[in-house]
Amino acid sequence: MMIKKLLVIGMLLCTIKANAQTAAYTPTADNLAARQNFEDLKFGLFIHWGIYSELGAGEWVMNEKNIPYNSYKRLADFFNPQGFSAHDWVQFAKKAGMKYITVTARHHDGFSMFGTKVSPYNIVDATPYHKDPMMELAQECEKEGIELHFYYSLLDWGRADYAYGSPIVNGLPAKGDWDSYIGFMKAQLTELITKYPGVKGIWFDGGWERDVNWHYDEIYGLIHKLNPAILVGNNHHLAPKEGEDFQMFEKDLPGNNTTGFSGKSEIGKLPLETCETINNSWGFNITDRSFKSVSQIIHYLVNAAGRNANFLLNIGPMPNGKIQPEFTDTMAVVGTWMQKNGASIYGTRGNAIAPQSWGVVTYKNKTMYAHITAMPQLPYIFIPKVKAKVLKVTLFTGSENLKFKQQPEGVFVYTNGIKADAYDTIIQLTTN
Ligand code: JFZ
């Protein structure tokens, strides 16, 4: 009797504990290490590529041009990217100095760019290509030491169970079959995490489309059960939610809101990432020629690092799988610059010193890097709030000592006569 009672109490305690665990997410040691590693990478390649690429008008083309789903679906019949090469994509990233790739496994059009058993609407089964570019990419990334994240859309414009456009009543779409849709996503995420080697993160998007119960506890819980080290992020433009491992920003540096996406966002305690695209489109756009310059891209990267965020720079490859030469040319110059200057960015942290009018500061161990992206009129820069004693100041690319003066309120570094860099003049400060 006594033993039975104890057993019951024990079981009760166990369930209470289990419930508490599902409510509050505790990242594993592996996950925490993956977060640190992610913060070290600093520069990633974002890729938007799907059957929408064929129309050369961005990834929202179905929605923007009001193309009926059944007509849009025909794009799959003639998607045959003979020019796709995982090797070329990974080399593009490596040459640009990028350390990871985030690729659209499935965007809002609902087309799976990977082989999946839970929907026939995928690149292996529905196109004449019949191959899985996500598998080739995952294998190539693993071989080349590039980390891979999958972009995965919560929003689906075509599936009946999602019922796009349906009114939402009590957190559920009135039409469709919400349980079926959540189950479908769980099955696909299981495939993406268990079948593809070396996947390090899932980048959710589209949850902003409707105010429903997304079952994030189950979805994030499933991902972390399958692989606790996987980094979960969600482009919901809010403060981080329970179960997430990094926080992303879209088309703005953390803390800014120039594009209006970040009005409700709050910077949390997780690793940060901000994404921007190389022209004005995410998916391939044949008329968009507003290419960002080398200087704009380097400044974006440096400004993100100075605010303690990774920079995820997007390209939209062409429907044949190739990357247009304008992107290759620009990123080759960025890459050459990163080869020379990357040590002042990779593996650093930022935001210990707030951004200044002349630029930002990154740091690693006892070294600080002052990135001057706008050379001041006066012949010095002032770095406020430097607590450690500065022992030595040089250009990052030189060994000659630069004149400096340390005061309780900060450090003056004299910049007259220094050789300025075309994009970012980096001053290295060694502290004790
Ligand atoms: C989203 C996607 O819709 C877009 O296609 C692309 O993948 C980008 C990286 O992410 O963009 C958004 C996200 C949110 C809003 C608008 C566009 N929003 O809240 O209005």
Side-chain angles (χ1 to χ4, degrees):
M1 187 61 191
M2 191 59 192
I3 288 172
K4 216 173 164 193
K5 244 191 189 162
L6 276 174
L7 260 175
V8 170
I9 291 169
M11 272 160 67
L12 260 172
L13 283 175
C14 277
T15 46
I16 289 168
K17 194 158 172 249
N19 284 337
Q21 271 170 351
T22 47
Y25 165 57
T26 310
T28 62
D30 278 357
N31 185 284
L32 293 175
R35 292 182 188 187
Q36 295 252 344
N37 174 63
F38 176 66
E39 289 193 278
D40 288 345
L41 304 181
K42 283 292 176 293
F43 196 19
L45 176 65
F46 205 2
I47 299 179
H48 278 68
W49 192 56
I51 56 174
Y52 46 76
S53 308
E54 289 181 75
L55 299 179
E59 77 289 355
W60 272 71
V61 60
M62 170 180 161
N63 187 280
E64 284 169 355
K65 298 212 166 137
N66 280 316
I67 305 174
Y69 187 52
N70 284 330
S71 308
Y72 182 87
K73 273 184 132 172
R74 293 180 189 148
L75 290 172
D77 286 343
F78 33 91
F79 192 66
N80 198 359
Q82 293 298 323
F84 169 75
S85 155
H87 175 263
D88 290 355
W89 282 16
V90 170
Q91 288 308 312
F92 174 91
K94 284 185 102 168
K95 276 198 194 122
M98 291 153 156
K99 305 292 187 191
Y100 65 105
I101 294 177
T102 304
V103 64
T104 47
R106 175 168 157 274
H107 206 269
H108 311 332
D109 65 353
F111 187 77
S112 298
M113 291 296 284
F114 60 101
T116 170
K117 290 211 168 66
V118 291
S119 162
Y121 195 41
N122 73 74
I123 188 161
V124 179
D125 297 316
T127 76
Y129 188 59
H130 292 307
K131 286 190 281 186
D132 185 342
M134 296 299 115
M135 185 57 85
E136 286 178 42
L137 188 61
Q139 287 166 347
E140 185 69 16
C141 280
E142 207 176 39
K143 187 174 135 232
E144 293 291 320
I146 292 287
E147 309 219 327
L148 184 66
H149 289 197
F150 283 131
Y151 171 110
Y152 190 82
S153 177
L154 295 155
L155 158 60
D156 190 303
W157 288 322
R159 284 180 63 98
D161 53 5
Y162 187 90
Y164 181 64
S166 162
I168 306 298
V169 183
N170 296 327
L172 276 176
K175 297 178 195 154
D177 182 344
W178 197 235
D179 283 345
S180 152
Y181 185 67
I182 298 289
F184 160 74
M185 289 200 295
K186 283 190 194 166
Q188 283 212 316
L189 289 160
T190 302
E191 291 177 325
L192 287 172
I193 287 161
T194 58
K195 256 177 60 186
Y196 296 80
V199 178
K200 296 287 194 293
I202 302 289
W203 206 102
F204 285 107
D205 193 14
W208 36 261
E209 192 266 324
R210 46 172 60 172
D211 195 11
V212 287
N213 179 1
W214 283 106
H215 297 265
Y216 286 138
D217 49 345
E218 291 166 43
I219 292 175
Y220 296 172
L222 169 72
I223 294 170
H224 287 137
K225 195 183 85 196
L226 294 171
N227 182 347
I230 288 207
L231 301 181
V232 171
N234 190 329
N235 193 28
H236 47 47
H237 303 164
L238 304 167
K241 292 180 197 284
E242 193 70 34
E244 294 172 359
D245 303 300
F246 69 104
Q247 181 179 12
M248 68 265 272
F249 296 84
E250 182 176 339
K251 294 180 91 69
D252 254 313
L253 293 165
N256 291 358
N257 184 26
T258 63
T259 53
F261 289 127
S262 305
K264 290 193 198 146
S265 193
E266 273 168 54
I267 302 178
K269 290 193 169 65
L270 301 176
L272 308 176
E273 178 193 71
T274 185
C275 62
E276 181 48 289
T277 186
I278 196 161
N279 47 13
N280 275 332
S281 318
W282 300 101
F284 176 58
N285 188 316
I286 201 160
T287 53
D288 185 350
R289 301 200 57 83
S290 47
F291 308 119
K292 290 190 179 60
S293 64
V294 170
S295 171
Q296 282 174 303
I297 292 166
I298 291 174
H299 284 185
Y300 215 107
L301 172 62
V302 168
N303 275 311
R307 286 162 179 80
N308 210 27
N310 285 5
F311 181 39
L312 184 63
L313 175 65
N314 178 77
I315 59 162
M318 296 186 285
N320 64 357
K322 289 199 193 311
I323 298 168
Q324 66 191 77
E326 292 91 342
F327 301 166
T328 314
D329 293 347
T330 299
M331 294 318 293
V333 182
V334 172
T336 306
W337 190 86
M338 282 301 280
Q339 246 172 33
K340 225 171 83 193
N341 300 287
S344 69
I345 297 172
Y346 301 123
T348 65
R349 295 295 181 267
N351 239 4
I353 291 161
Q356 301 295 306
S357 59
W358 47 262
V360 295
V361 179
T362 56
Y363 61 93
K364 187 161 46 186
N365 303 322
K366 293 189 170 176
T367 306
M368 290 168 44
Y369 305 97
H371 295 265
I372 309 178
T373 46
M375 196 54 86
Q377 293 291 315
L378 296 170
Y380 62 84
I381 58 161
F382 176 65
I383 311 171
K385 296 183 181 153
V386 179
K387 285 188 205 97
K389 187 173 160 48
V390 175
L391 304 174
K392 185 182 161 76
V393 180
T394 64
L395 273 181
F396 173 71
T397 48
S399 54
E400 218 175 293
N401 284 323
L402 297 183
K403 227 179 102 191
F404 71 96
K405 186 167 77 191
Q406 184 160 25
Q407 292 184 340
E409 61 273 23
V411 179
F412 293 87
V413 177
Y414 295 92
T415 51
N416 36 334
I418 65 170
K419 195 170 159 279
D421 183 89
Y423 310 115
D424 170 19
T425 306
I426 307 160
I427 290 178
Q428 178 168 332
L429 299 92
T430 312
T431 67
N432 73 343

